[in-house]
């Protein structure tokens, strides 16, 4: 595969906008004049071969403060810098991590508020499966990289404020319960819900479950339960009802 083909493949993976914005980032961190000076001096060492050439290339990059496309794509620390610039400076998006905890499912979850142009647009719960991060639960800014990686997906989540009252209540129960579940038996429905909801509300809930693809997280007539809400439901909505620092799911 040629270098051009590799870059085209990378562009397809990252997405056109994120890949093409790298050139704007490089102009910022490596102004053209600085790059020209680097290339002129590097040309003096074109007779070098192999590792000697690579060592000289790296030396001159440091000397002239130059970052290349290959650095951004292949070096973890440079990609992190670019990703932060892309979301916060270029796209005007940012995130505030409110809390992080180990869930009942033994993954790590975090509650974050997402911003666009400094205005809050989403309150989400995400997850990750990095066991070592269980020692990083107090290092909340670290979780921003996870938010950035799923930013567009988070923004597309259904808004809780647009959901039915019954779905909102099931979602809140899952988020707030000690076992991250919502159990509603027929008896529970009669005692706790029937005075506020009707069978039409259940039908609407079923339509929402289908519309938002929540069938893995909300089930009906399973075993002795009229409705069951599972823990992963908390990651399926943008809880835009209370977008502020005080909304914090303590675990």
């Amino acid at each position: 595969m040629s270098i051009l083909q590799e870059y085209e493949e990378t562009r397809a993976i990252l997405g056109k906008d994120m890949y093409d914005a790298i050139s704007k980032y490089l102009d910022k961190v490596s102004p053209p004049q600085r790059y020209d000076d680097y290339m002129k001096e590097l040309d003096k060492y074109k007779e070098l071969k192999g590792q000697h050439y690579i060592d000289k290339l790296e030396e001159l990059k440091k000397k002239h403060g130059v970052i290349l496309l290959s650095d951004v794509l292949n070096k973890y620390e440079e990609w992190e810098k670019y990703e932060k610039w892309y979301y916060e400076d270029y796209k005007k998006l940012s995130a505030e991590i409110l809390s992080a905890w180990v869930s009942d499912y033994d993954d790590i979850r975090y509650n974050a508020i997402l911003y666009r142009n400094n205005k809050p647009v989403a309150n989400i719960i995400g997850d990750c499966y990095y066991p070592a991060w269980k020692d990083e639960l107090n290092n909340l800014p670290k979780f921003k990289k996870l938010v950035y990686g799923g930013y567009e997906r988070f923004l597309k989540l259904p808004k809780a404020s647009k959901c039915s009252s019954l779905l909102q209540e099931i979602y809140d129960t899952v988020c707030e319960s000690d076992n991250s579940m919502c159990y509603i038996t027929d008896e529970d429905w009669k005692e706790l819900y029937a005075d506020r909801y009707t069978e039409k509300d259940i039908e609407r809930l079923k339509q929402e479950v289908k519309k938002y693809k929540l069938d893995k997280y909300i089930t009906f007539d399973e075993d002795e339960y009229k409705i069951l809400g599972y823990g992963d439901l908390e990651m399926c909505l943008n809880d835009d009802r209370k977008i502020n620092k005080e909304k914090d799911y303590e675990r």
Side-chain angles (χ1 to χ4, degrees):
M1 182 184 294
S2 68
I3 294 178
L4 179 59
Q5 287 176 316
E6 288 183 7
Y7 284 150
E8 286 298 322
E9 185 175 291
T10 302
R11 187 171 185 259
I13 294 172
L14 295 181
K16 178 180 180 295
D17 188 59
M18 192 168 199
Y19 183 88
D20 292 349
I22 296 177
S23 62
K24 297 180 176 65
Y25 172 74
L26 293 177
D27 285 343
K28 179 178 178 62
V29 299
S30 295
Q33 184 58 54
R34 193 186 302 174
Y35 179 77
D36 290 343
D37 293 340
Y38 156 77
M39 290 300 296
K40 287 178 182 178
E41 187 166 358
L42 181 63
D43 190 56
K44 299 176 183 178
Y45 301 96
K46 58 185 177 182
E47 75 282 356
L48 294 178
K49 304 295 182 182
Q51 191 60 45
H52 295 294
Y53 181 80
I54 294 175
D55 291 342
K56 179 56 68 174
L57 183 148
E58 292 297 328
E59 175 189 325
L60 294 181
K61 278 163 57 177
K62 291 180 180 179
K63 175 182 177 180
H64 293 282
V66 167
I67 303 297
L68 304 179
L69 174 61
S70 58
D71 295 322
V72 174
L73 296 179
N74 300 317
K75 293 182 178 180
Y76 181 74
E77 64 276 11
E78 294 300 337
W79 174 259
E80 278 197 315
K81 293 176 184 177
Y82 168 67
E83 193 174 40
K84 184 176 185 297
W85 173 88
Y86 175 77
Y87 284 107
E88 296 185 1
D89 297 328
Y90 184 67
K91 300 288 285 187
K92 303 301 182 185
L93 304 174
S94 60
E96 180 181 11
I97 311 300
L98 302 181
S99 60
W101 64 93
V102 178
S103 79
D104 295 330
Y105 303 94
D106 205 37
D107 60 348
I108 299 172
R109 301 196 178 180
Y110 54 91
N111 180 207
I113 295 179
L114 281 58
Y115 295 84
R116 174 184 282 141
N117 293 320
N118 295 319
K119 295 181 179 180
V121 293
N123 183 331
I124 61 90
I125 292 177
D127 67 342
C128 75
Y129 295 87
Y130 304 142
W133 282 36
K134 291 181 181 180
D135 297 326
E136 300 284 346
L137 296 181
N138 292 322
N139 184 13
L140 297 182
K142 183 172 184 175
F143 288 83
K144 283 187 178 183
K145 66 179 66 178
L146 300 177
V147 176
Y148 291 155
Y151 218 110
E152 297 304 322
R153 176 176 62 83
F154 290 139
L155 292 180
K156 293 177 182 178
L157 290 175
K159 293 182 177 180
S161 65
K162 303 297 183 181
C163 296
S164 67
S165 296
L166 182 54
L167 177 51
Q168 290 183 38
E169 185 165 345
I170 294 170
Y171 170 83
D172 289 337
T173 300
V174 167
C175 292
E176 296 165 3
S177 68
D178 292 336
N179 55 14
S180 299
M181 292 284 292
C182 176
Y183 301 100
I184 304 176
T185 64
D186 286 324
E187 191 63 30
D188 293 330
W189 181 263
K190 293 176 183 178
E191 293 183 2
L192 304 174
Y193 296 86
D195 61 332
R196 294 177 291 121
Y197 301 106
T198 67
E199 289 299 318
K200 288 184 178 180
D201 292 304
I202 293 181
E203 288 304 313
R204 180 182 175 186
L205 176 62
K206 289 180 178 179
Q207 292 174 6
E208 290 176 307
V209 168
K210 183 177 181 180
K211 176 181 179 181
Y212 299 132
K213 297 180 173 59
L214 301 177
D215 52 290
K216 292 182 180 179
Y217 317 113
I218 297 178
T219 61
F220 302 89
D221 302 315
E222 181 178 340
D223 297 327
E224 72 270 29
Y225 299 105
K226 187 179 185 70
I227 302 174
L228 264 179
Y230 289 89
D232 286 349
L233 177 64
E234 65 183 1
M235 298 186 292
C236 297
L237 299 181
N238 163 14
D239 193 356
D240 62 327
R241 297 168 299 173
K242 296 180 181 179
I243 300 180
N244 54 50
K245 292 184 179 180
E246 286 69 37
K247 187 163 184 61
D248 182 9
Y249 299 114
E250 296 184 358
R251 292 295 188 267

